[in-house]
Amino acid sequence: MRLAKNRLRATAHTAVAVAMGAAALTALPGTASAAADGLSVQYRTSASGAGADQAEPWFKVKNTGGAAVQLSGVKVRYYFKADSAGANYRFACSWAVKGCANVTGTFGTLATPTATADRYLEIGFTSGAGSLAPGADTGDLQLRFHQANWASLNQSDDYSFGAAQTSYGDWSKVTAHLAGATLWGQAPGGNGPTDPPTDPPTDPPADAATLFDDFNYSGHTDPRISANGWNVRSNAGGPGVPGATWAPEKVTFASTGGNSIMNLETSTAGTAASTKQTEILTRAMKFKNGTYAARVRFSDAPKYGPDGDRLVQTFFTINDLKAPMADDYAEYDFEYLPNGGWGEPANILYTTSWETYQADPWVAVNQHSEVRQSYSGWHDLVLTIDNSTIRYYVDGQHFGTHDAAYLPERPMSINFNQWLIDLAGQTSTTARAYDQQVDYVLHVKDQVLTPAQVTARLNAYRSAGTTFQDTVPGS
């Protein structure tokens, strides 16, 4: 039985000791000609002191090319020096012409640290931001970031910071990227390779050991579930509300558009005794390096009853913690919080790579990326692990890259669950229920696939009428 993820996460994401190593995210190419290729960036700072409670980089992104640019393909990177090796940062948008709901911010770590940069803030846009016509700009993007514990920042040694830049002007110490190509600015020295990596020239061999499941079952008692290596959880324990039940009967299957969908329902009437959570996991811990993929439908609103519960909807891999701070523990998470929690007030999607932890007193050694926006609806989630890097993708777009320090030492299980952090988000005693749905899961052992290659594998299985395959050897 795997170790329950009872990690007091309210503490984990407000006072987390995040270990972010130096060898990590490979940066995008370092230089390009804006005039020829289509983007420029103007910058100003609204916090010009060498020390500050928070950095306030403001931007305008302009289309200098001859064709319209979809902002969902644009990324802007602001490079800075972490205030300590374990510093953890939070992003916020104060105001934006395009709407703060359409602006995202994630943090990365440079592959080649310099004296003035080992991290960066990457600004992106949702599809709701629309496009830029030739000659148009985004208008103000009034952004800020701070240390999670609100310790003071030292901006004087930050590569992209300009103390004298108190009004907008072209600024080459930030970079702008479109569809993986750098169109503006100069990254800190030595950070030039493309990330995410371009598709390899040929597809990897198709005979790699693979788990594929289309979740084509009749119900939670279908004997094929166990025969195919899954366990629908019924045993007590964390994570979630102490005293809650893990309810196998709330894991159901239905056909939608000719395709089988697994549904995880979590329900409560505001008490521990009424709270029923759901989880399905592989019995075997035999999955390590390679590609993990699933199509998952997250839900912001309950299917009935009042909204507001602090819910966690997940796709993850994990092994057991043999002792507090054991260095052979591993876990890699997609965790969506539709109503916030762990100190967050609203929607947030985390990807987290765990090295180890200790429950009491709480100590966490992990690295995470996050985007604060709604992810309600279907999403393609891809995680790849090789001998140097952990990468996360959402809907084909790079979401985060984590360091070699967090690579797994032992194989893991594959899990989906939906649970309540606590009962404080919604105190009503009116019954309510939330759904998380899963279309399929895929693991390809020891091969790093691009999101496009994952889709090709999925289509090949479905064209062949294959609903299940497991050739991954036991560990």
Side-chain angles (χ1 to χ4, degrees):
M1 180 177 69
R2 75 171 182 87
L3 178 71
K5 291 204 314 175
N6 184 10
R7 283 179 275 170
L8 309 177
R9 296 293 285 276
T11 305
H13 286 284
T14 55
V16 64
V18 178
M20 300 183 73
L25 194 58
T26 307
L28 286 158
T31 186
S33 166
D37 296 303
L39 292 176
S40 66
V41 181
Q42 290 194 327
Y43 157 81
R44 61 158 292 189
T45 179
S46 186
S48 58
D53 290 336
Q54 56 186 344
E56 297 187 43
W58 295 10
F59 301 112
K60 291 181 181 179
V61 182
K62 184 177 182 179
N63 178 5
T64 60
V69 171
Q70 292 296 322
L71 279 170
S72 59
V74 173
K75 304 290 186 185
V76 174
R77 288 185 175 181
Y78 178 95
Y79 302 89
F80 64 98
K81 182 77 170 178
D83 294 274
S84 66
N88 183 26
Y89 294 88
R90 298 294 175 91
F91 164 79
C93 173
S94 298
W95 187 78
V97 172
K98 291 291 184 179
C100 279
N102 295 316
V103 180
T104 64
T106 58
F107 295 95
T109 306
L110 288 177
T112 307
T114 71
T116 58
D118 55 13
R119 309 276 185 94
Y120 61 82
L121 167 65
E122 181 174 271
I123 304 304
F125 301 89
T126 71
S127 59
S131 62
L132 287 182
D137 66 48
T138 59
D140 274 344
L141 301 169
Q142 298 182 9
L143 312 177
R144 54 192 170 88
F145 66 92
H146 59 85
Q147 293 202 63
N149 61 3
W150 283 101
S152 294
L153 302 174
N154 175 22
Q155 299 191 97
S156 63
D157 60 355
D158 290 349
Y159 176 85
S160 294
F161 175 66
Q165 198 73 11
T166 56
S167 59
Y168 278 116
D170 287 352
W171 196 248
S172 64
K173 288 190 173 183
V174 296
T175 56
H177 317 275
L178 178 63
T182 301
L183 302 187
W184 174 264
Q186 175 68 53
N191 291 282
T194 300
D195 182 40
T198 56
D199 287 353
T202 59
D203 288 336
D207 58 354
T210 301
L211 167 70
F212 172 74
D213 201 329
D214 215 13
F215 294 115
N216 190 13
Y217 302 110
S218 61
H220 76 280
T221 60
D222 190 327
R224 293 176 299 158
I225 294 178
S226 178
N228 289 346
W230 295 99
N231 174 41
V232 183
R233 183 176 176 183
S234 61
N235 58 293
V241 175
T245 300
W246 293 91
E249 70 276 9
K250 288 187 173 288
V251 178
T252 58
F253 303 85
S255 180
T256 301
N259 187 44
S260 180
I261 300 297
M262 178 172 65
N263 192 81
L264 307 179
E265 178 187 298
T266 292
S267 61
T268 187
T271 65
S274 67
T275 301
K276 297 183 183 298
Q277 305 177 139
T278 43
E279 180 167 22
I280 185 168
L281 63 153
T282 62
R283 294 196 308 274
M285 292 187 188
K286 62 178 184 176
F287 308 98
K288 195 177 177 219
N289 286 16
T291 299
Y292 299 80
R295 183 164 172 79
V296 177
R297 184 179 182 274
F298 298 128
S299 300
D300 280 355
K303 64 180 178 181
Y304 63 80
D307 197 0
D309 290 289
R310 294 169 180 167
L311 190 71
V312 185
Q313 301 174 334
T314 75
F315 166 43
F316 64 102
T317 70
I318 191 172
N319 60 29
D320 53 328
L321 183 73
K322 294 184 177 297
M325 303 301 290
D327 62 5
D328 62 351
Y329 177 73
E331 179 179 350
Y332 307 93
D333 301 330
F334 289 91
E335 292 176 310
Y336 180 56
L337 282 59
N339 292 315
W342 300 331
E344 293 291 334
N347 325 72
I348 187 167
L349 177 63
Y350 287 105
T351 60
T352 309
S353 301
W354 288 82
E355 169 59 17
T356 191
Y357 73 95
Q358 172 180 287
D360 188 18
W362 177 254
V363 179
V365 183
N366 65 29
Q367 186 174 355
H368 72 266
S369 304
E370 72 276 343
V371 171
R372 292 169 176 84
Q373 68 177 58
S374 172
Y375 279 87
S376 183
W378 285 103
H379 296 283
D380 295 306
L381 310 178
V382 176
L383 157 68
T384 66
I385 304 173
D386 59 22
N387 290 322
S388 62
T389 307
I390 305 115
R391 286 188 173 90
Y392 297 86
Y393 300 87
V394 177
D395 297 330
Q397 299 298 310
H398 176 251
F399 191 92
T401 300
H402 297 166
D403 303 355
Y406 306 94
L407 293 172
E409 292 84 8
R410 293 188 290 119
M412 302 165 289
S413 63
I414 296 175
N415 306 50
F416 299 89
N417 65 19
Q418 183 181 218
W419 48 281
L420 296 177
I421 296 172
D422 52 39
L423 296 172
Q426 170 56 266
T427 58
S428 170
T429 56
T430 300
R432 60 267 190 189
Y434 300 82
D435 285 340
Q436 172 186 339
Q437 295 179 326
V438 183
D439 183 5
Y440 77 92
V441 68
L442 172 71
H443 171 70
V444 181
K445 178 179 170 62
D446 295 331
Q447 286 188 0
V448 171
L449 275 62
T450 65
Q453 290 169 333
V454 167
T455 300
R457 290 285 179 100
L458 171 64
N459 292 339
Y461 279 121
R462 289 183 167 166
S463 295
T466 301
T467 59
F468 177 79
Q469 175 181 299
D470 186 3
T471 59
V472 180
S475 58

